[in-house]
Amino acid sequence: MPNGRVYIVNSADLAASIQRNPLKISFWQVEAVFSGTLVGLSSAASKILAANVDSDNGHPSYLRDGVSNVHATLRPGEQLMDTTRIALELLAPTLEGLARKTTDPVDLQQWIAGALMTSVTGSVFGPQNPYRDPEVARSFWTFEENAAGLLSLPFPAITCAKSYAAREKVSAAFVDYYNSRGCDLASSWVQGAFKVSDGYQISNEDKARLDISNSHAILANTLPTAFWTVYHIFADATVLEEVRTAVMPLVTTKTTNGVVTHQFDFGRIRDVPILRSVMHEALRHYANGTGTRILMEDTLLNGRYLLKKNSFVFMPNRSYHFDASVWGPTVDAFDAQRFINFKPPSASFRAFGGGVNTCPGRFFAMNEILAISALLVLRVDIKPVVEAWAHPGIDDSNMTLAVQPPKLKTLVNFSPRSGWTDGEWRFTH
């Protein structure tokens, strides 16, 4: 579709103007084309996914109905709280192991990825979650390693054989999931998505492939964000103490007949200023992806720039996230407290996108990132195996990621914190 012309937008003001023109400068069209290619949708489902995505005439759109379902089921409210609670209950056994004994050296990124893979996918897909099978989970990460190749290389079954085969294994597992009606016990989001898909006569085979895309959405950027949040909390003793003090009021401890119970109020997790600030600063530093749009018609931007139909628009986050005129002279430093009393202009902070294309699952992602960070801060000490914390660098090799993971391993030891080794944990809101 694009004619080869590319516009790179480095101005936050122009990015804001683009956000105000979502039908003329379309993200949905990009999403439909690239998602279908990435997961190998059938031609019939690809056409349905792309139909009417930029129409404002009331014609039905499968993609936009699907996004509306995510907004409805993962916005702040009881459905989001139920999904978050289940995720934390699934996370609890992993944390129990850390809180009982000092571990051998562990790669922090790998540990966080494993813990959240289990809890997030289990809470979303329910008890028959296909990722309970370790081989399916490993296949997903193999697929992710060269997802860009599946988008860009010809004959991907040959030129990108490893990721292609991994994708097909995950897809087959989700076909079994739908054929056995595993979705009936899943989150409200998945149950709603099933109904939307059935309304557009999407086959179970294509539902399965779309859930590979959904898995990317709930995991690929959440996991590195969680790593960087935890890393920057524990790597700075002052920040660690401040976060610990701030999250303590979320826990109520009771002893009944000798049984200790800790109640963790996750409903207030997004209201802890320092914790939220560290996460947002991590996103400012590491959410360096590029927002992509396609021009559906000639568009005059800000009354000055004529952008031609069928062209790409690229909006690199780094241009906005490291603009000294917005963020001040400390723009290059990691300031854990930056977001406590500072709210940047909306287009200057694009970690979750912007406008009508703001990530609909952001509240769930934030809940998971902030909760695992708070629970680790409360229950364990994390020390690097070397003398001091060393920044692991940034891996920018995967162009499908909005948040860049660490380049090197961060080997750490987990050790229990005194006073937090005993008792049963319950999660309330």
Side-chain angles (χ1 to χ4, degrees), residues 352-363:
F352 295 110
V356 300
N357 300 128
T358 301
C359 173
R362 65 193 182 279
F363 298 109

Side-chain angles (χ1 to χ4, degrees), residues 327-338:
W327 303 98
T330 63
V331 62
D332 293 326
F334 190 99
D335 180 355
Q337 297 182 327
R338 188 184 301 275

Side-chain angles (χ1 to χ4, degrees), residues 33-53:
V33 172
F34 285 90
S35 291
T37 302
L38 178 65
V39 302
L41 278 186
S42 69
S43 58
S46 294
K47 289 177 182 177
I48 294 171
L49 186 66
N52 300 318
V53 292

Side-chain angles (χ1 to χ4, degrees), residues 2 69 137 243 327 351 380 385 406:
N69 172 64
V243 172
W327 303 98
V380 299
V385 296

Side-chain angles (χ1 to χ4, degrees), residues 71-89:
H71 279 292
T73 54
L74 292 183
R75 66 189 177 193
E78 283 304 311
Q79 291 174 316
L80 172 65
M81 291 294 100
D82 286 344
T83 305
T84 303
R85 175 184 52 76
I86 293 169
L88 295 180
E89 289 172 351

Side-chain angles (χ1 to χ4, degrees), residues 6 24 28 33 88 94 131 136 166 170 183 231 265 300 309 316 340 349 352 356 372 396 420:
V6 171
K24 294 180 180 179
W28 302 131
V33 172
L88 295 180
T94 305
Y131 294 114
V136 175
V170 177
C183 57
Y231 170 86
D265 182 2
L300 188 64
K309 179 180 178 179
I340 292 179
F349 182 67
F352 295 110
V356 300
I372 192 172
D396 57 4
W420 294 94

Side-chain angles (χ1 to χ4, degrees), residues 215-237:
S215 299
H216 175 86
I218 62 175
L219 292 170
N221 296 305
T222 299
L223 271 52
T225 305
F227 167 82
W228 290 118
T229 303
V230 171
Y231 170 86
H232 280 287
I233 291 172
F234 280 89
D236 187 318

